[in-house]
Amino acid sequence: MPSFYGWDKLEVLRIHGCHLKEIHWQMFNGLTNLKYLSLERNAIKELPSFAFSGALHLKSISLAQNALVRLHYLSLAGLLDLEILDLSDNQLSRLSEQCFPPLPKLLKADLRNNPIKHIFPATFWVMNSTRELKMGSEMEALDLRTWNIYGQFDSLFQLKTLSLSNVSTEAMEQGLFKGLYGLEILTLRGSIISIQYDAFAGMEKLRDIDISHCMIRELSMDAFIGAKKLQLLNLSHNCLSYFPPGLLDEQLQLHEVQLQGNQLTSLSYSFFYLPRLRVVRLDQNPWHCTCQMSNWTPRITNVMRGPIAENCRNDISGNPNSCRIVTTYKINKNIVPRCANFNGRSVYYVLRKQLHCGSMEFLHHSFQKRIESKTFPYWLKLELQGHEKRNSRSRLQTYKSIHHQHPKSIVPGLKQYMQKTTQMPQLSEISNEI
């Protein structure tokens, strides 16, 4: 057994790839100022009680790529200053309240690539300050579930980032993430058949949700209620064939939605009216193209998020001032959504060249504003709102039929406006490549 007596000023110690099989409880005696300890790529199978009692001021411990098969709370006892714990690439198969001692300052815990199948209640009750937790392994699927009234991540009130790979659950339901009130970023991979009502209830700070490659088939229309600050939603590469109308009505800060690689054939007309929507990935879906898709625009669907850039304003002397970090976007013609019912042609080519939907979206806002600004009778507003969504070729015909039935109800100037809109030139044509 190595001895470190007399090394009281040592702060960093790494013992990598040395075939170290066991640790004695007195091994680190004398290392009173040790802050960072790494024992990666060894053959350690078990940690004795009070394994690090000689270095109680450790801030970081890495036991990655060893052969640990179990973890007892006495093994890490006394490490009240520990901030980072790396137990990745070991053989841990379950977690319970017997695994961790009080770790009041722990910020990051990495448990990836351990064949953990079950997380029992109270496992993380002594890790109240943890900000980041990563778990999941290809060797064993993590059973994601609730235990009666308890969640698997209770008491992680300060957690900001949760990453779980190879999870398995029939339904992501209410209570699954109970207690994660401060969570901002959630990443899941694995097998999740459906996302149920109130699955994210109480998670008001949630900003990014990435549940791609999870084989999701069903979304409840109230699945995201409570996540009002959501900015990024990634549901790509699942098995979705239906996207409920109004699903994202509360997500007014949503910037990016990724739905590529599903089985979607249509979206509700109101989907593109989210006020801050900047990117919507819709490629690799068998879209059934109709004129109801006239409010789709290439500036939203044909772009990808680029690198983060710094945007500064210069003062009078030309020096950078008032700088802020912004997200850049770039056009990518390879991600254009395509029509399954028109031999895979671009959605925008089909709308303008084959369905002849015209420039309906251009007219929508101005025409709707004109309708709302006039004191039309209610019946006429309904007629005009329904008429506005139809093909532009029928505008004049609809006006004539309304005027013939109610000639005295038409507000002066409507006739000239209708004639003007039917003669307006179409928007610039977009080629099949875009």
Side-chain angles (χ1 to χ4, degrees):
M1 184 184 70
S3 174
F4 297 98
Y5 281 107
W7 294 52
D8 57 309
K9 294 184 179 180
L10 189 68
E11 295 186 1
V12 180
L13 174 61
R14 299 187 181 95
I15 305 175
H16 290 183
C18 295
H19 304 287
L20 186 65
K21 295 183 179 181
E22 60 181 10
I23 296 176
H24 193 273
W25 69 276
Q26 292 179 317
M27 179 173 175
F28 302 105
N29 281 356
L31 298 177
T32 53
N33 287 311
L34 191 65
K35 300 293 190 300
Y36 306 95
L37 173 63
S38 181
L39 303 174
E40 298 179 5
R41 301 194 307 276
N42 285 293
I44 303 170
K45 293 184 178 181
E46 189 173 356
L47 296 176
S49 297
F50 306 101
F52 307 101
S53 59
L56 294 180
H57 297 293
L58 280 169
K59 290 186 176 181
S60 173
I61 294 178
S62 177
L63 290 161
Q65 301 182 52
N66 277 281
L68 292 172
V69 294
R70 76 182 191 96
L71 188 66
H72 193 270
Y73 71 95
L74 289 178
S75 303
L76 301 173
L79 299 177
L80 302 182
D81 293 331
L82 192 65
E83 297 177 357
I84 300 174
L85 177 61
D86 188 349
L87 295 171
S88 60
D89 294 283
N90 279 281
Q91 299 298 318
L92 302 174
S93 59
R94 53 183 285 177
L95 296 178
S96 71
E97 73 280 4
Q98 296 290 321
C99 292
F100 299 103
L103 298 171
K105 295 185 179 181
L106 189 67
L107 300 178
K108 297 182 180 181
D110 191 345
L111 296 164
R112 289 176 295 177
N113 298 324
N114 281 277
I116 299 171
K117 184 175 182 179
H118 299 294
I119 302 176
F120 293 101
T123 295
F124 302 109
W125 283 10
V126 290
M127 296 165 60
N128 306 112
S129 299
T130 307
R131 301 292 196 275
E132 183 177 339
L133 177 61
K134 298 179 180 180
M135 296 179 61
S137 168
E138 295 300 322
M139 294 180 283
E140 186 71 59
L142 174 62
D143 184 18
L144 205 60
R145 54 173 295 182
T146 57
W147 298 88
N148 296 323
I149 62 173
Y150 300 104
Q152 294 172 301
F153 306 98
D154 283 352
S155 298
L156 290 173
F157 303 125
Q158 303 297 322
L159 197 68
K160 302 297 182 184
T161 302
L162 177 61
S163 179
L164 304 174
S165 62
N166 195 19
V167 300
S168 177
T169 183
E170 285 291 324
M172 188 185 297
E173 56 189 10
Q174 184 179 6
L176 200 62
F177 300 113
K178 181 181 178 182
L180 299 182
Y181 305 124
L183 195 67
E184 297 179 1
I185 301 174
L186 175 63
T187 303
L188 300 177
R189 297 286 186 274
S191 176
I192 302 172
I193 304 303
S194 65
I195 301 179
Q196 300 297 321
Y197 170 78
D198 269 0
F200 303 99
M203 303 170 72
E204 297 181 354
K205 296 183 179 181
L206 200 56
R207 179 166 40 88
D208 293 0
I209 297 179
D210 184 349
I211 322 179
S212 58
H213 300 275
C214 287
M215 298 184 285
I216 300 172
R217 298 179 184 176
E218 180 183 358
L219 293 173
S220 166
M221 64 179 297
D222 299 316
F224 298 103
I225 281 183
K228 296 182 179 181
K229 294 186 178 181
L230 197 62
Q231 297 180 16
L232 184 149
L233 176 61
N234 188 349
L235 292 169
S236 64
H237 302 287
N238 284 296
C239 303
L240 295 172
S241 58
Y242 178 67
F243 198 83
L247 177 68
L248 303 176
D249 282 355
E250 278 195 341
Q251 285 64 48
L252 301 181
Q253 299 185 30
L254 201 59
H255 290 170
E256 181 174 346
V257 180
Q258 296 191 28
L259 294 172
Q260 72 271 23
N262 281 282
Q263 298 298 316
L264 296 170
T265 58
S266 63
L267 285 175
S268 65
Y269 193 81
S270 61
F271 178 86
F272 284 91
Y273 292 140
L274 290 167
R276 298 190 180 183
L277 200 58
R278 184 65 180 83
V279 176
V280 180
R281 286 285 305 275
L282 299 173
D283 51 299
Q284 303 173 54
N285 281 283
W287 298 110
H288 182 81
C289 293
T290 68
C291 285
Q292 290 296 322
M293 300 163 68
S294 58
N295 64 339
W296 291 30
T297 56
R299 63 180 175 82
I300 293 181
T301 64
N302 294 3
V303 298
M304 297 181 65
R305 183 168 50 172
I308 302 297
E310 187 177 40
N311 187 10
C312 298
R313 294 182 180 180
N314 294 334
D315 56 18
I316 299 177
S317 303
N319 299 318
N321 188 20
S322 183
C323 296
R324 62 190 182 95
I325 303 298
V326 297
T327 302
T328 61
Y329 299 90
K330 57 182 180 180
I331 295 289
N332 187 340
K333 67 179 182 180
N334 295 322
I335 62 173
V336 59
R338 297 186 176 275
C339 304
N341 57 332
F342 284 90
N343 297 322
R345 283 184 177 272
S346 163
V347 166
Y348 305 105
Y349 179 87
V350 170
L351 291 179
R352 302 189 184 281
K353 304 294 285 188
Q354 296 187 259
L355 293 177
H356 305 288
C357 296
S359 50
M360 293 174 62
E361 173 58 18
F362 175 79
L363 297 174
H364 174 79
H365 297 291
S366 59
F367 192 61
Q368 184 70 22
K369 184 176 180 180
R370 185 69 176 264
I371 292 174
E372 293 174 353
S373 65
K374 298 294 183 180
T375 57
F376 290 173
Y378 183 72
W379 65 266
L380 183 55
K381 287 185 178 181
L382 293 179
E383 289 280 357
L384 294 174
Q385 287 171 352
H387 155 74
E388 188 275 331
K389 295 179 181 178
R390 301 186 195 114
N391 193 301
S392 59
R393 290 183 172 183
S394 63
R395 292 184 181 277
L396 189 57
Q397 182 179 358
T398 303
Y399 163 75
K400 288 180 179 180
S401 64
I402 297 175
H403 182 69
H404 177 71
Q405 296 176 15
H406 307 276
K408 296 182 180 180
S409 301
I410 303 300
V411 176
L414 176 62
K415 179 177 180 180
Q416 290 79 357
Y417 176 73
M418 294 295 298
Q419 292 175 345
K420 181 180 179 180
T421 57
T422 55
Q423 298 173 0
M424 292 183 68
Q426 296 183 353
L427 294 176
S428 59
E429 298 177 354
I430 302 177
S431 71
N432 186 36
E433 293 301 321
I434 297 179

